[in-house]
Every structure is written in C-alpha cells, then in structure tokens.
Amino acid sequence: MIRVTENFRKIQDLLAKAAADAGRPAEQIRLLAVSKKKPLEAILEVAAAGQRDFGENFVQEGLEKIREAARDDLVWHFIGHLQANKTRAVSEHFQWVHTVDRLKIAKRLSEQRPHYAPDLNICIEVNIDGEDQKSGVSADQVSDLAAAIGDLPRVRLRGLMCLPAIRHGFDEQRKPFAALRELYESLIAEGHDIDTLSMGMSADYAAAIHEGATIIRVGTGIFGAR
Ligand SMILES: *Cc1c(COP(=O)(O)O)cnc(C)c1O
C-alpha cells in the first residue's frame, strides 16, 4: 500500500518551497492530482487529506470514477487526448478540459455543455516543442484558436497547457515553460481575460512554478508509479 497521504503532504510542502524560491505566493498555484490508472480508493484518500482537483486522461475511466465518487465538492479535469466522439461525456461531467487542440473540439464542447452547468473551463494545449508524436497546436496557431474560442458560449478560455519533451536540469526544464508563458502573455496583450498556465508534472513542476505555472499536474509524485 503506497502512502498517498504522506506523498500528498510532501508535494504540498515542495510546492510551497518552490513558490517561495520563485518569489510567488503558494496560493497562486493549484495542485492538480493526476489520478489516471489509480483506483478511486486512492483518490478518496487524498480527498480526505484536503485535495479537491483531480485529473483524468481517459474518458471512460474518468466517468466511472466521477460517478462512483458521487462527490460534488471534487473538481474533475480532463487532461488526456480528446476525440470528437467523446466530447459530450466530457462536457457533461468534467469542469475543466486542458487539452483543446482544435476548434472542432471546442465547438462540440460548447454545444454539448449542459445549460444548467456553469461554463466549462478550457485550456488550449500547445505542442511547445513541435514534436511530431504529440498533440497540441503550434505556437503560431494559438492566437487564432483563442480568438475563435472566445466567441463560443458555455465555454470559458482560461489559458494554455503544455506537455514538453523530457529535459534534465532545472535551467533546461524552464525553457519550454518560459515559451508557453510568452504565448500566454501575448494572449493577455490581445485582450483575453485568462488566468491559467497549466504546466509542470512530477519531474519538472519546480521549473514550471518558476516560469509562472498556476496549475501543476502531479501524478507519480502523489500516487506512485503507474
Ligand atoms: C500523466 C500526466 C501527468 C502526470 O504525470 P506525472 O509524471 O505522473 O506527474 C500530467 N499531465 C498529463 C497531461 C499527463 O498525461
């Protein structure tokens, strides 16, 4: 049995330390616990320790956990690759989608978001290293996609997300996050009312915090290896 509560406390401490080192208030940084492939039992244990935001990568797995948990105090973030035929379930049951990479997906999420629900929070996923095998828009497509999403009802553009190539060393790790922050700042200069930089995972969240991350997505560091 891995001690997820202990891991969770440790990550909270490390988040606070990284924020202090970066000269930022820790309250600016939201910890997203990435629970893919982990049982609901582990999620509920971390929830009992005070965690509220959980990230899931697979639609069916996420829906099952959301239904079984039946907790309206938890906030569910979809962070996996989203296919067009799965948008309805995601739009109906999640509060956030971090991985919008084309207008078609954003339009479907907008059309399918239930009218009784608050606006769905969405981030544009940027393929910040231009890797062939990864999803996400290229840097030069961000501005047009953001403008188009800004016109859609029932979804609210919150910011940008990235999943960079693996790098070693703090200074190297900072580079793609700095690039995403520049794109984020250019969207703000274009008049977008956004507040979210979703970047950094177990191995590189300290570097992301130094570059302005407002959501870090931590799986292994809390739940152990998958
Ligand atoms: C799995 C995953 C994470 C968490 O990764 P860890 O290295 O386990 O912290 C974060 N973001 C995305 C998009 C993921 O798929």
Side-chain angles (χ1 to χ4, degrees), residues 56-75:
E56 289 285 338
N57 287 63
F58 307 104
V59 176
Q60 203 51 44
E61 178 186 337
L63 292 179
E64 281 167 22
K65 289 174 182 170
I66 292 169
R67 190 182 56 238
E68 283 174 35
R71 293 259 306 246
D72 56 16
D73 60 332
L74 302 185
V75 181

Side-chain angles (χ1 to χ4, degrees), residues 34 36 57 79 99 161 163 200-203 217-221 226:
V34 176
K36 62 169 175 252
N57 287 63
I79 63 169
T99 45
M161 176 269 199
L163 191 70
M201 317 200 299
S202 294
R217 309 180 309 266
V218 177
T220 313
R226 287 181 294 273

